Amino acid sequence: TLSTRFREMAFLNKGLRITLTDERGEESVTKSYCYEGGVISFVEYLNRHKTALFNPPIYIESEQSNSSVEVALQWNDGYYESVSSFANNILTPEGGTHLAGFRAALTRVVNDYARKSGQLKTLTGDDIREGLTAIISVKLPEPQFEGQTKSKLGNSEVRPLVDTVVGNALSAFFEEHPSEAKLVMDKCLQAARARE
């Protein structure tokens, strides 16, 4: 449990080194975690047993009014969505406003790109997120969590912030990288056909 948590913390804080020494057995075992790539390394780690559609993962970073947004995402040839969200390094398994902003931007941008490239289908969020691995990390001065277990972020100002940051960066990425955008489109359209 500690090892998993420390690895997570090292991914979320690029350059931070955390060393864990387990002295329970005959010989002590030391593990050290440090990832210069931060959330990019996190996505690569999660996709290590899958075939990514493109490399490196898309990376988005922005700081505005005491809040920072950091997102890394990459599609793979799998069928499952693996999206994790964090607020101030705390895992939010039930998501919240930061995840809602990310999903809204992702669905809007991919559908806009699909229309521009002549696709008549409107893709659902599920079609778009099939095979997606993403990490969303926000840092806020006063996070408001819902529930006893802090499993969901409730700050209303975070949704439009993440939506705008991700929307602008993803639109620019698709314009600047048409071959990667086509791979993503093909993956989403294949998911839509399978659903229908």
Side-chain angles (χ1 to χ4, degrees), residues 76-95:
N76 60 59
D77 62 355
Y79 301 103
Y80 300 101
E81 169 189 357
S82 174
V83 177
S84 298
S85 58
F86 298 84
N88 291 10
N89 293 334
I90 297 167
L91 177 65
T92 50
E94 292 179 31

Side-chain angles (χ1 to χ4, degrees), residues 8-187:
E8 212 171 70
M9 293 289 290
F11 278 130
L12 294 170
N13 299 281
K14 61 181 160 199
L16 174 70
R17 179 174 304 283
I18 301 175
T19 305
L20 171 67
T21 304
D22 185 350
E23 298 176 342
R24 292 175 299 177
E26 293 287 316
E27 292 181 31
S28 65
V29 178
T30 300
K31 290 181 181 173
S32 188
Y33 303 104
C34 181
Y35 303 98
E36 294 301 329
V39 293
I40 297 172
S41 299
F42 203 165
V43 168
E44 290 171 338
Y45 174 79
L46 294 172
N47 272 344
R48 68 192 181 283
H49 299 302
K50 301 175 181 99
T51 305
L53 295 189
F54 55 84
N55 275 307
I58 300 168
Y59 178 66
I60 301 164
E61 182 181 33
S62 177
E63 280 192 45
Q64 293 174 13
S65 59
N66 299 334
S67 299
S68 73
V69 177
E70 207 177 0
V71 176
L73 65 151
Q74 184 181 47
W75 279 266
N76 60 59
D77 62 355
Y79 301 103
Y80 300 101
E81 169 189 357
S82 174
V83 177
S84 298
S85 58
F86 298 84
N88 291 10
N89 293 334
I90 297 167
L91 177 65
T92 50
E94 292 179 31
T97 51
H98 52 335
L99 184 60
F102 170 78
R103 285 183 167 169
L106 183 69
T107 305
R108 184 181 67 252
V109 169
V110 172
N111 272 308
D112 285 350
Y113 191 84
R115 272 190 293 282
K116 281 182 197 166
S117 59
Q119 301 296 335
L120 300 173
K121 277 191 173 116
T122 299
L123 299 161
T124 68
D126 288 337
D127 297 335
I128 294 165
R129 292 191 307 270
E130 185 176 290
L132 174 68
T133 301
I135 299 294
I136 299 113
S137 175
V138 295
K139 293 192 171 113
L140 316 160
E142 292 179 32
Q144 296 159 358
F145 295 100
E146 294 174 14
Q148 291 293 135
T149 56
K150 293 186 173 182
S151 58
K152 191 172 183 180
L153 184 67
N155 296 56
S156 58
E157 73 279 6
V158 174
R159 182 183 171 139
L161 172 67
V162 175
D163 189 328
T164 305
V165 167
V166 172
N168 293 343
L170 211 50
S171 294
F173 179 86
F174 284 164
E175 293 299 322
E176 293 162 16
H177 301 85
S179 57
E180 285 89 340
K182 185 180 182 329
L183 291 170
V184 171
M185 274 305 116
D186 292 347
K187 173 83 177 159

